[in-house]
Amino acid sequence: MIIAETAAEVRSRVAEWKKEGLTVGLVPTMGYLHEGHASLITRAAGMCDRVVASVFVNPTQFGPGEDLETYPRDFERDCAVLEVHGCDLVFHPDVSELYPEGAATFVEILSDMPKQLCGKTRPIHFRGVCTVVCKLFNIVTPDRAFFGQKDAQQLAVIRRMVRDLCFDIEIVGCPIVRESDGLALSSRNVYLSPEERRAALVLSRAVDLGKRFYAEGETDAGRVVRAMSELISREPLAKIDYVSAVDGETMMPVEELTPGVLVAMAVYIGTTRLIDNFTVGE
Ligand code: PAF
């Protein structure tokens, strides 16, 4: 596996592959990889001739007071995970490589979409995500890019950006990977104490409850969201940021659960903010 720190090196490797007629998949990550990331790499390796992963903790998607400084990092371990799952090249740039001195250009979706759900408490988050993903797309020029469905709003925002900016890139959404007890994998799970780890199960229990309500014929979004919220509120270590049912593409609130609707939540367990979701009918 090649480790590249500069955009120039990535470009020249990708150019060689493209000259040979090979397809390229990109898996953007912020490192501290877990089985969820591994599943993205495996999927990319199954669908593309060559796989590029980026490991970059992107400063512009963290707001003031968020965990940019303490975000977990372990590049050596990340490389081992990437290599074993079929990654061909890891792009591990320094901040100055992606944000050169004086960088002042951002990519921002100006509709209400990035202001919903996580955008309410993280107002600059999706601008940072779009900006860095756009840079990565320009450097790697992948045929396909792979993102997890756990970050459902991020996936919707990136699909929007790709359409709006006419990128010729297929965006592949990949299923949430869970621990055996249901907790959705996240690099931030490492922040949880044993007691919080137990309490965090309330998110996947709420997902299961919402799915069960729908399976039993309940389509009133308000009622389902209320039942999920009540379940979460019974956990003393949990504090709800939001539980919402939204259109799976626009992220705007809906009143009825129909196939494709996203039921998403963000919940603080202690000081750790965790997200989880399900898509109706999937
Ligand atoms: O999902 C993530 O890890 C990040 O938001 C991403 C897509 C790598 C952009 O920094």
Side-chain angles (χ1 to χ4, degrees), residues 27-31 37 54 56-58 61 71 125 128-130 132-133 136 147-148 151 154 158:
V27 181
T29 84
M30 296 209 299
H37 297 108
S54 55
F56 179 69
V57 181
N58 173 38
Q61 69 189 72
Y71 195 84
H125 177 67
V129 169
C130 283
V132 79
V133 170
L136 293 169
F147 295 88
D151 297 293
Q154 167 171 285
I158 286 165

Side-chain angles (χ1 to χ4, degrees), residues 17 69 131 135 196 206:
W17 291 335
E69 304 308 331
T131 302
K135 288 169 191 263
E196 290 170 341

Side-chain angles (χ1 to χ4, degrees), residues 219-228 245 254-257:
T219 57
D220 184 305
R223 251 182 255 151
V224 172
V225 162
R226 264 195 306 282
M228 293 169 65
V254 297
E255 291 183 357
E256 204 194 342
L257 297 189

